[in-house]
Amino acid sequence: MHNKTLVELSQALHQHECSSVELTRYFLERINNAQLNSFITVATDIALAQAQVADDRLAQGDTGVLTGIPLAHKDLFCTLGVKTSCGSKMLDNFIAPYNATVVEKCHAAGMVMLGKTNMDEFAMGSSNETSFYGPVKNPWDIQTVPGGSSGGSATAVAARLSPVATATDTGGSIRQPAALCGITGLKPTYGLVSRYGMIAFASSLDQGGPMGQSAEDVALLLNVMAGFDKRDSTSVNHPQEDYSTHLADSISGLKIGLPKEFFGTGLNANVGKVLETALSELEQAGATLHDIHLPNTHLAVPAYYIIAPAECSSNLSRYDGVRFGHRCENPEDLLDLYTRSRGEGFGAEVKRRIMIGTYALSAGYYDAYYLKAQQIRRLIRNDFTDAFKEVDVILGPTSPTTAFKIGEKIDDPVSMYLSDINTISVNLAGLPGLSIPAGFVNHLPVGLHLIGNYFSEARLLNIAHQYQQRTDWHRQIPPDFV
Ligand code: GLN
């Protein structure tokens, strides 16, 4: 049951081979047995009630593909009446008074919410170790990290605790954990998926997207998640697409660009070998390979670590102990209320970012840091625009290494930040990026990263699907979860 694709699960539901309530119970049981710390909240009662509604809809002839299918939401999507913690002590007591648009859309499609997944605090991290609720374990090796910040969603899909999951990506948080856990994860074009009700980290970079076993599953969930939303001022009014219609198209003649910057120092040699094999697979499917340059790639991480903290210092100023979130005991005065509530509610990484961001935005430093970073952002975007004049898609490793050990990088922020060296430039440019499983190094999954031009999600998913028709890396399950 747990290794079925969404299409197979949908068939089983529509042909009444199983009910949504049965399916939901099945996955809830897997969640309860898993011991990976993937979930912050398991919404058993709500899930079973939603499954019952879905079963009623199915009995009345509902034809929705995803009706009755369970999913998990990253715990930064607001869920009405359900704790939405964002992985932080600050919001440990926060019950959202409304649903995020993404949650609303999944609900309207008849999907069943199993619960809320663990994540790095306020989505800041690459290993899921900054969560107030403790680290998530990678199901391929529980001594290693699942990546972050969407480590809970990635492990839930990888260990087949949920058929699909939602996640968000500000600098790599969908793609890097997808790579480290051996699943498929898509960061859509900025503005394609509504940010309404998504707790903000860095608003000009944050984007929600789907995680699943395969490109086909991801396409089906994206169909539900994407769409214009007038409640999000940066939502793009792009025509609604069916992302699954082009999956079967041939990729013969596809021009793949290989930026030398993604294959240089820092790339683990064995990860490089896995990519070479994947490339020859794509060549056999008719694609051609072209060397390209993205000359400003080395500036992406430094620019991101000015822009993201600057935006987060502003976004997180709302957590002041007054309106919602953690409030300290017995404040002496207003200043004491602010400082102690924030001091107690935020973890070390969040504080570090707020301080960097506040500094970068302060009078006298704004031009030197924030303005410069924005200029670099434009150069990075221009690099991609130039590259897409030559090639259809850009390929590289999602992460330069496989999953690292829990604890290995937590005291070394710079080495942690470099985990996202291949993904961050995509957020700075606002482009779509997709990570798919491409093999293993020492039993740990390797992710292949495809970057496309704006709104080329259907094409990226088509390429990934063609690759997945020829390989079965995406069908592999961690041995303890078979
Ligand atoms: N790892 C990056 C960071 O720590 C990206 C996180 C994300 O995409 N949310 O900021």
Side-chain angles (χ1 to χ4, degrees):
M1 188 71 95
H2 53 269
N3 207 24
K4 282 197 185 338
T5 66
L6 287 191
V7 170
E8 288 162 353
L9 287 175
S10 182
Q11 275 163 2
L13 288 168
H14 284 281
Q15 287 160 10
H16 305 290
E17 285 162 20
C18 74
S19 69
S20 176
V21 169
E22 282 164 354
L23 201 57
T24 301
R25 280 194 203 286
Y26 179 82
F27 282 106
L28 287 170
E29 196 179 312
R30 284 184 71 83
I31 293 170
N32 287 333
N33 294 335
Q35 297 185 331
L36 295 171
N37 202 19
S38 304
F39 282 78
I40 291 172
T41 302
V42 182
T44 307
D45 295 345
I46 290 177
L48 290 171
Q50 289 182 349
Q52 187 55 58
V53 173
D55 280 334
D56 295 344
R57 277 170 67 164
L58 288 162
Q60 285 157 20
D62 181 312
T63 56
V65 195
L66 298 184
T67 306
I69 303 233
L71 93 163
H73 288 299
K74 184 175 182 177
D75 204 21
L76 64 51
F77 287 97
C78 284
T79 42
L80 175 66
V82 177
K83 172 162 132 174
T84 301
S85 74
C86 223
S88 182
K89 178 180 177 186
M90 183 58 92
L91 292 177
D92 183 46
N93 62 3
F94 178 62
I95 310 283
Y98 67 99
N99 277 327
T101 297
V102 162
V103 172
E104 206 57 70
K105 279 170 164 281
C106 292
H107 187 58
M111 299 188 80
V112 172
M113 179 180 78
L114 295 169
K116 308 290 296 292
T117 56
N118 205 340
M119 54 179 286
D120 279 301
E121 185 177 10
F122 284 100
M124 299 174 197
S126 307
S127 66
N128 223 118
E129 291 167 290
T130 71
S131 170
F132 173 61
Y133 302 92
V136 177
K137 295 175 183 140
N138 189 319
W140 292 98
D141 173 357
I142 57 166
Q143 311 285 330
T144 67
V145 304
S149 65
S150 313
S153 287
T155 53
V157 173
R160 308 303 193 241
L161 314 182
S162 178
V164 281
T166 61
T168 63
D169 192 311
T170 303
S173 280
I174 290 178
R175 294 159 288 157
Q176 185 255 13
L180 270 44
C181 291
I183 62 158
T184 304
L186 173 72
K187 180 253 166 213
T189 305
Y190 183 78
L192 188 70
V193 169
S194 169
R195 290 186 300 108
Y196 180 77
M198 239 175 72
I199 294 178
F201 160 16
S203 310
S204 77
L205 301 159
D206 297 342
Q207 187 59 200
M211 284 180 161
Q213 296 174 28
S214 64
E216 185 186 36
D217 286 6
V218 161
L220 290 172
L221 185 54
L222 183 64
N223 280 347
V224 172
M225 294 176 77
F228 175 66
D229 181 3
K230 63 178 186 328
R231 294 177 298 184
D232 169 4
S233 62
T234 57
S235 174
V236 178
N237 203 343
H238 180 75
Q240 198 82 35
E241 282 184 58
D242 179 348
Y243 295 98
S244 55
T245 47
H246 291 289
L247 293 175
D249 291 0
S250 160
I251 58 165
S252 176
L254 177 81
K255 288 186 184 168
I256 299 178
L258 304 173
K260 124 175 176 328
E261 293 77 9
F262 288 176
F263 291 89
T265 43
L267 177 63
N268 175 289
N270 291 324
V271 171
K273 283 194 193 120
V274 165
L275 288 185
E276 274 172 32
T277 313
L279 283 170
S280 56
E281 200 68 64
L282 289 164
E283 276 186 298
Q284 280 166 35
T288 56
L289 309 182
H290 306 264
D291 288 329
I292 59 163
H293 282 288
L294 296 170
N296 293 293
T297 298
H298 65 291
L299 299 174
V301 170
Y304 173 90
Y305 279 99
I306 294 296
I307 294 169
E311 293 185 20
C312 107
S313 72
S314 165
N315 274 324
L316 271 58
S317 65
R318 74 191 71 182
Y319 306 106
D320 55 7
V322 176
R323 285 160 299 174
F324 44 73
H326 175 76
R327 177 180 294 180
C328 67
E329 301 272 343
N330 307 319
E332 278 169 23
D333 53 24
L334 190 60
L335 189 63
D336 187 41
L337 169 77
Y338 288 160
T339 50
R340 272 204 293 130
S341 298
R342 286 169 70 79
E344 292 165 8
F346 291 135
E349 182 62 23
V350 172
K351 286 177 185 161
R352 176 155 44 228
R353 307 256 183 137
I354 292 174
M355 287 191 283
I356 294 172
T358 308
Y359 180 83
L361 290 177
S362 54
Y365 294 110
Y366 180 92
D367 287 357
Y369 296 109
Y370 188 70
L371 195 66
K372 263 278 172 283
Q374 292 289 25
Q375 288 164 342
I376 290 169
R377 186 171 188 175
R378 174 51 62 112
L379 295 179
I380 286 168
R381 188 194 145 122
N382 291 348
D383 282 356
F384 281 112
T385 308
D386 291 343
F388 286 125
K389 288 180 191 146
E390 314 288 324
V391 295
D392 303 313
V393 66
I394 295 170
L395 187 150
T398 310
S399 164
T401 64
T402 53
F404 45 92
K405 290 262 185 294
I406 294 176
E408 190 180 319
K409 298 190 180 180
I410 195 66
D411 296 322
D412 183 357
V414 173
S415 130
M416 186 75 89
Y417 295 170
L418 290 172
S419 308
D420 298 308
I421 194 153
N422 298 328
T423 50
I424 274 178
S425 54
V426 175
N427 299 73
L428 289 170
L431 292 164
L434 176 67
S435 181
I436 55 174
F440 292 85
V441 170
N442 297 331
H443 311 289
L444 291 172
V446 173
L448 180 156
H449 188 205
L450 292 168
I451 306 167
N453 213 335
Y454 299 102
F455 300 106
S456 66
E457 284 79 3
R459 186 61 165 152
L460 292 180
L461 290 162
N462 161 230
I463 300 163
H465 182 71
Q466 289 308 309
Y467 177 75
Q468 291 179 342
Q469 295 297 100
R470 301 173 149 261
T471 57
D472 69 351
W473 304 118
H474 63 295
R475 306 291 292 171
Q476 308 294 318
I477 306 183
D480 291 345
F481 296 87
V482 175

